[in-house]
Amino acid sequence: MEIIKIDNVVKVYNAYKDAKEAMALDGININIKDGDFVGIMGPSGSGKTTLLNMLSGVDKPTSGEIIIKDQSINDMSKDKLALFRRKNIGYIFQDFNLLDSLTLKENIAIPLILDKLNPNDVENRVKELMKLFDIYDLANKYPYNVSGGQKQKVAVARALVNNPSVIFADEPTGNLDSKSTSNIMNIISNINKEIKSTVLMVTHDPFAASFCNRIVFIKDGKVKMEIASSGNRKDFFDRILEVQSVIGGE
Ligand SMILES: Nc1ncnc2c1ncn2[C@@H]1O[C@H](COP(=O)(O)OP(=O)(O)O)[C@@H](O)[C@H]1O
Ligand SMILES: [Mg+2]
């Protein structure tokens, strides 16, 4: 079953006379199956962030449609979209987006508190995730007291706390060293396999991308190529490098 359909999405910024120049997305079609783990790659300026902004409802396409769980998110009212996002979607940002005045535990709990879950359930769920991510010892520390890798674990935990069926990640390992990158990618990969969350991740890092099942390469706002993993990560990594050398990386 398809959980996400990106149907002929066009995004033109500042539609002046010379519209060609501002065509950030030029008719993107991508279908994503429930439980898939898809990477989006492409050179700088190819439209990756624009596409994620359309998918998350931060911005609207100029034309075309985005359907998530059988609902068109383009036509939703602001309130309906906010609720839909809270119920169905988790976000992982490159720069973590943690609140410095809250402890790590509180940062993870935010989505549940917004959903008015009872405090005992919040406590249990946050504890469960912190244990899973091996950061329970850090529960009462603040973001400025922990490492980048630990902050990213908190950001991932927060994205997962409400059991989203869809996870969007924008360069989730962009600020991390290789050990933390492995760590985070293993966590995201396990969540995809065990909880069956569908993951869509934008990355320019072939190593992070090699954890995906499928990579869609975009350039100049168009889908240029797609490759699927045979299950061997090293093989997939090599093929990603090959395609990148043809299409152009970051
Ligand atoms: N808010 C904006 N206003 C005008 N042009 C934009 C805006 N955001 C992005 N663009 C343009 O759209 C194209 C795609 O950008 P972006 O989606 O950020 O690419 P990527 O994330 O792949 O680097 C680029 O040419 C960029 O300059
Ligand atoms: Mg970008």
Side-chain angles (χ1 to χ4, degrees), residues 14-246:
N14 307 322
Y16 296 133
K17 285 170 209 123
D18 189 11
K20 196 100 198 125
E21 297 240 318
M23 181 86 91
L25 298 176
D26 188 5
I28 297 267
N29 289 293
I30 305 173
N31 289 329
I32 297 174
K33 284 205 207 85
D34 201 0
D36 210 349
F37 185 176
V38 178
I40 305 277
M41 299 187 85
S44 188
S46 57
K48 303 182 297 293
T49 297
T50 301
L51 184 61
L52 263 195
N53 287 345
M54 304 291 124
L55 283 164
S56 55
V58 169
D59 200 357
K60 283 185 191 298
T62 306
S63 65
E65 199 173 27
I66 288 167
I67 295 169
I68 303 178
K69 295 184 97 178
D70 293 324
Q71 297 196 60
S72 170
I73 63 158
N74 311 29
D75 319 327
M76 278 184 198
S77 67
K78 251 190 162 166
D79 288 352
K80 197 171 169 210
L81 181 64
L83 184 68
F84 181 81
R85 287 163 59 165
R86 277 221 307 279
K87 290 252 171 286
N88 297 289
I89 299 175
Y91 298 91
I92 306 166
F93 304 92
Q94 173 171 5
D95 50 4
F96 318 131
N97 273 4
L98 300 181
L99 297 174
D100 285 332
S101 57
L102 299 183
T103 64
L104 301 189
K105 186 166 111 179
E106 289 162 347
N107 265 285
I108 297 172
I110 293 171
L112 301 181
I113 292 166
L114 287 174
D115 264 348
K116 303 191 173 60
L117 203 70
N118 86 57
N120 260 340
D121 290 345
V122 173
E123 183 73 27
N124 289 337
R125 175 67 181 147
V126 172
K127 188 170 171 182
E128 177 189 18
L129 275 170
M130 293 199 95
K131 290 207 154 147
L132 176 71
F133 285 37
D134 203 19
I135 48 175
Y136 187 57
D137 292 350
L138 307 174
N140 295 316
K141 292 205 184 286
Y142 290 86
Y144 49 82
N145 289 134
V146 304
S147 73
Q150 287 164 336
K151 272 191 270 213
Q152 191 59 309
K153 282 184 173 180
V154 172
V156 177
R158 183 187 51 191
L160 299 174
V161 75
N162 54 351
N163 282 316
S165 40
V166 177
I167 297 165
F168 293 131
D170 194 359
E171 299 279 4
T173 60
N175 293 318
L176 301 180
D177 58 42
S178 63
K179 185 162 174 279
S180 303
T181 296
S182 260
N183 215 322
I184 291 291
M185 288 317 300
N186 275 315
I187 290 171
I188 296 178
S189 186
N190 285 341
I191 288 200
N192 167 254
K193 289 198 187 93
E194 281 157 31
I195 303 168
K196 310 257 184 277
S197 297
T198 305
V199 183
L200 188 131
M201 172 179 81
V202 166
T203 185
H204 70 272
D205 175 8
F207 176 70
S210 69
F211 285 80
C212 297
N213 299 330
R214 180 184 160 204
I215 311 279
V216 178
F217 292 88
I218 64 174
K219 188 176 184 179
D220 301 329
K222 292 193 179 87
V223 173
K224 282 288 165 196
M225 189 159 179
E226 222 189 287
I227 56 175
S229 173
S230 60
N232 180 321
R233 193 155 59 71
K234 178 70 179 73
D235 267 9
F236 199 39
F237 175 77
D238 291 340
R239 284 165 58 217
I240 293 166
L241 284 183
E242 264 170 51
V243 177
Q244 252 196 340
S245 70
V246 177

